[in-house]
Amino acid sequence: MSPGTLDEQRRALSRILRHDLRNPLTALAGYADLTLRAGDLNPGQTRWLGRLRQLVDKLSEAADDLSDVAWLDAGLPLDYVPFDLGVAIYAAVAVCAEEAQGREIALETDVAADLPALRGDPAWMERALVALVENGLRYSPAGATVRVRAWSEKGGVWCAVTDEGFGITPDDQRHVWDRYWRSPDPHVQAVPGGGLGLTLVRAVVLRQGGSLHLDSDPAQGTTVTIRFSTGESTS
């Protein structure tokens, strides 16, 4: 890809995301906040404005996921540098800590101290891990635990995110990596989401030369395992 073409793609993507998605959502959030602070609202108006603010936040989150997937789809480059997977894991868990606390779910980490360095993009890897941990939190009940483990063996570095949610049926497991797909299961439909989280995870891992495997059993939880061959990650 020539530098000129790459710059044009970056500008086009930035223009679409800024003008067509982010700016309108930012404006909506701002007007909702201003109206809430203006006072003289009855309880019903306050409740509905609060609901509007929540919906804007959800749309903003979906816009972020969409922009990330669009970046990856466009073949725009990732960094290719040595990085410590453990550092990315701890950073992702820190990002999710407040949500875990609010949902009354424990977050546990078990990261081997002797992990070999990987080559790839640590920022994108953190983004993918955040998506996996958020999935575990959102599909697990209060009182559950989401665990993130990392270890090395057999010439590879492994990372597994395990939840104690309601699991995924065998039929649904065939579609979980598909873009925008969401299970018709009422448990899944009750959780807000756009069906892009696992698509993003898969794109990031594959772009860096890794592989993924999903194990799930209804009513017992789900584990997503990522594997990188030591020294073989590619951007």
Side-chain angles (χ1 to χ4, degrees):
M1 182 182 296
S2 69
T5 301
L6 178 59
D7 287 342
E8 289 171 5
Q9 287 184 322
R10 282 174 169 161
R11 284 195 296 270
L13 181 59
S14 177
R15 183 170 58 252
I16 291 169
L17 296 174
R18 183 172 62 252
H19 292 293
D20 295 348
L21 286 174
R22 296 185 187 279
N23 283 357
L25 289 172
T26 300
L28 282 172
Y31 287 133
D33 290 343
L34 285 172
T35 304
L36 283 169
R37 291 198 297 266
D40 297 327
L41 299 174
N42 64 44
Q45 292 170 327
T46 301
R47 183 173 63 255
W48 287 113
L49 276 172
R51 179 57 178 157
L52 173 62
R53 188 64 171 85
Q54 291 175 351
L55 290 173
V56 169
D57 288 343
K58 293 295 182 184
L59 286 171
S60 296
E61 181 180 334
D64 288 341
D65 287 344
L66 183 60
S67 66
D68 287 343
V69 172
W71 182 276
L72 295 166
D73 279 351
L76 299 176
L78 308 184
D79 284 336
Y80 185 56
V81 298
F83 76 96
D84 185 333
L85 180 61
V87 172
I89 289 171
Y90 288 124
V93 168
V95 169
C96 299
E98 184 175 352
E99 182 173 355
Q101 184 177 10
R103 294 178 179 273
E104 300 180 354
I105 295 174
L107 265 178
E108 294 183 356
T109 56
D110 180 10
V111 178
D114 58 349
L115 291 179
L118 298 175
R119 290 188 64 84
D121 192 312
W124 278 100
M125 194 66 237
E126 179 186 332
R127 178 73 180 84
L129 290 167
V130 167
L132 281 180
V133 174
E134 285 179 341
N135 256 23
L137 294 174
R138 292 172 187 179
Y139 293 103
S140 295
T145 299
V146 173
R147 296 177 177 84
V148 186
R149 299 183 297 120
W151 68 98
S152 60
E153 65 175 346
K154 300 179 181 178
V157 174
W158 305 71
C159 175
V161 179
T162 301
D163 66 52
E164 297 176 347
F166 45 80
I168 306 169
T169 67
D171 285 342
D172 286 352
Q173 288 180 38
R174 296 179 298 174
H175 303 288
V176 293
W177 306 109
D178 294 348
R179 186 171 312 185
Y180 303 121
W181 184 87
R182 300 196 76 213
S183 170
D185 187 314
H187 293 95
V188 175
Q189 292 299 316
V191 178
L196 283 172
L198 290 180
T199 299
L200 171 68
V201 172
R202 183 176 184 273
V204 170
V205 171
L206 294 184
R207 282 283 302 273
Q208 297 185 90
S211 60
L212 302 100
H213 182 73
L214 183 143
D215 290 297
S216 189
D217 189 4
Q220 294 189 23
T222 299
T223 297
V224 176
T225 304
I226 300 169
R227 181 186 184 277
F228 290 105
S229 296
T230 306
E232 296 181 8
S233 295
T234 59
S235 59

